[in-house]
Amino acid sequence: MSTAPNPMRDQIIATPQALKAGFEALERDARLVLPTPLIYRTKRIILVGSGDSYFAAKAAEMALMVHAGLPVEVRTPLEAGRYHAAFSTRRDLENTLVIALSNSGAAARVCEAAALYRRAGAKVLAITKNATGRLAENADHKLVVAVPGFPVAPGFGPYLFAMVALQLLAVRFGEVRMGMTMDQAQALRGKLLGHFDDLAATISATDEAARALAEQLSGAKVFEFLGGGPSRAVADYGAAKLLEAAGRHGSGIDLEEWTHLNYFDASPQEIATLMVLPPNGRSDSRAAELRVFIDRLGRQIGVLPIAADINEIWSPLLTSAPLALFAAHLSALDGAEYGRGSKGAWSDSSDASTVQKSAMFGDLS
């Protein structure tokens, strides 16, 4: 195996231990961040984020719905703030908790959405590593996630820290709203902590397979990532990491929607299809049917299975790792610079101005 530097792979490998080290503080803060009356009063949760924060929110959606026992929506911040917040009635929003996620705490659209929802009557919880950033200033409550200094590369560690924060909030909501006993809640927290060892084992078990798959599929012109349920978010995440790390075109799609759309592509031999399949998933039967179609079309297919026993609603914690490793290895094979090195036509991204320095809507600035 190549010994060339691979910071993205290094970040992936460092993440399980970082999650274990930070779990006690994160669990405590997630338990205390919201007052009990607010948890009782909440009738709906809206999750808002961009990029990895959006994928983390979408990946945790089912866990929040199941454990909190509440309706949960995941929205992109442009649509959330400028449209949904604007056109919702105050009566609908006054019992809504908006959870806005931004690792940097400076993503303009997320900060904007938080401010617009708050103005419209919703309560806002910020999840961020920046306790004094613009997002925290536009929130009623803030959960500061102590993301450590990882190797500089497309994000894996921060994405999982955000996901775990949401999973812990889901358990807290269930506990306070009496959907589970305190003992059951504590058992779930212990199980979540134990899955960090499963994550380390998954990374170790799939690292070489991901490298081999990257070599096998390196000639593909287009990459598509398929998933159902919580794995739909992982599919999007895998496509995003491929774009960031290698500059290769990738897209995520729902398993069922693939048969309605991507199935009809006129150049199937140029497409590599990667399927996200957690153990004992509710989409397994449909995935098996799709594999028949994919083989008939002559598409290249890749599956990086995980062996750990994990509830499907928590499975993105593990299934994201093989796709991140795949992107890291393909980037290394291509000799690609992450984010195109923020050079040339991509130089606008060198100081994050593309996402952090956008003008705020209306009179928010």
Side-chain angles (χ1 to χ4, degrees):
M1 186 170 179
S2 171
T3 58
N6 191 327
M8 186 174 177
R9 176 178 178 269
D10 294 341
Q11 184 188 136
I12 295 164
I13 291 171
T15 295
Q17 185 55 44
L19 286 168
K20 289 181 74 171
F23 184 79
E24 183 178 355
L26 182 56
E27 187 278 318
R28 179 197 63 229
D29 293 346
R31 202 164 13 93
L32 300 176
V33 68
L34 295 174
T36 296
L38 174 59
I39 294 177
Y40 274 125
R41 198 166 55 242
T42 298
K43 303 299 183 189
R44 175 177 60 167
I45 296 172
I46 297 174
L47 305 176
V48 179
S50 286
D52 286 355
S53 293
Y54 177 83
F55 306 138
K58 192 66 180 171
E61 176 185 15
M62 291 296 169
L64 267 165
M65 187 178 75
V66 170
H67 293 315
L70 288 169
V72 180
E73 305 168 20
V74 185
R75 296 182 179 272
T76 56
L78 181 67
E79 182 269 340
R82 297 193 185 189
Y83 298 91
H84 188 254
F87 299 129
S88 295
T89 66
R90 191 170 190 89
R91 183 168 182 174
D92 284 340
L93 289 180
E94 63 188 6
N95 291 315
T96 293
L97 176 67
V98 174
I99 303 178
L101 300 97
S102 169
N103 184 51
S104 69
R109 290 290 74 73
V110 178
C111 298
E112 177 183 275
L116 289 168
Y117 270 123
R118 200 176 179 199
R119 177 186 292 180
K123 292 296 183 184
V124 176
L125 167 64
I127 297 183
T128 177
K129 73 174 183 181
N130 189 346
T132 59
R134 185 161 51 167
L135 180 58
E137 291 174 354
N138 283 290
D140 300 286
H141 307 276
K142 58 187 177 183
L143 176 55
V144 179
V145 181
V147 178
F150 286 112
V152 178
F156 181 72
Y159 158 76
L160 285 194
F161 266 86
M163 191 190 305
V164 170
L166 290 171
Q167 290 165 341
L168 286 169
L169 282 170
V171 174
R172 179 58 177 168
F173 263 77
E175 180 180 40
V176 170
R177 294 172 64 87
M178 294 182 286
M180 62 182 76
T181 66
M182 292 176 63
D183 286 345
Q184 288 170 328
Q186 201 58 23
L188 281 173
R189 294 178 182 117
K191 185 172 288 189
L192 184 57
L193 175 60
H195 282 318
F196 300 152
D197 287 332
D198 294 329
L199 175 61
T202 296
I203 292 168
S204 178
T206 59
D207 185 25
E208 178 58 24
R211 184 200 61 78
L213 188 63
E215 287 187 346
Q216 175 190 332
L217 302 180
S218 62
K221 300 285 183 63
V222 177
F223 294 81
E224 58 185 12
F225 297 79
L226 281 61
S231 296
R232 174 67 175 85
V234 180
D236 280 335
Y237 172 78
K241 293 306 104 177
L242 196 65
L243 278 164
E244 290 179 65
R248 300 285 201 108
H249 182 72
S251 63
I253 190 166
D254 177 85
L255 279 165
E256 182 62 28
E257 294 309 297
W258 181 92
T259 60
H260 295 264
L261 300 170
N262 294 28
Y263 170 80
F264 296 102
D265 193 290
S267 302
Q269 293 81 8
E270 297 180 354
I271 301 172
T273 302
L274 287 87
M275 302 183 81
V276 185
L277 299 176
N280 304 311
R282 295 173 67 88
S283 299
D284 281 358
S285 61
R286 189 54 169 150
E289 292 173 343
L290 262 61
R291 289 201 65 160
V292 176
F293 305 145
I294 291 166
D295 288 339
R296 284 179 187 162
L297 289 167
R299 275 170 152 90
Q300 304 175 75
I301 189 167
V303 180
L304 292 166
I306 59 170
D309 181 19
I310 188 169
N311 189 309
E312 187 177 10
I313 65 172
W314 280 359
S315 64
L317 182 66
L318 305 187
T319 54
S320 300
L323 297 189
L325 285 165
F326 175 80
H329 286 300
L330 189 58
S331 176
L333 285 170
D334 289 351
E337 290 188 274
Y338 303 145
R340 318 294 68 76
S342 294
K343 299 172 182 175
W346 295 275
S347 61
D348 288 330
S349 64
S350 61
D351 61 353
S353 62
T354 51
V355 295
Q356 293 184 6
K357 296 185 178 181
S358 172
M360 300 289 273
F361 184 72
D363 60 353
L364 291 175
S365 48

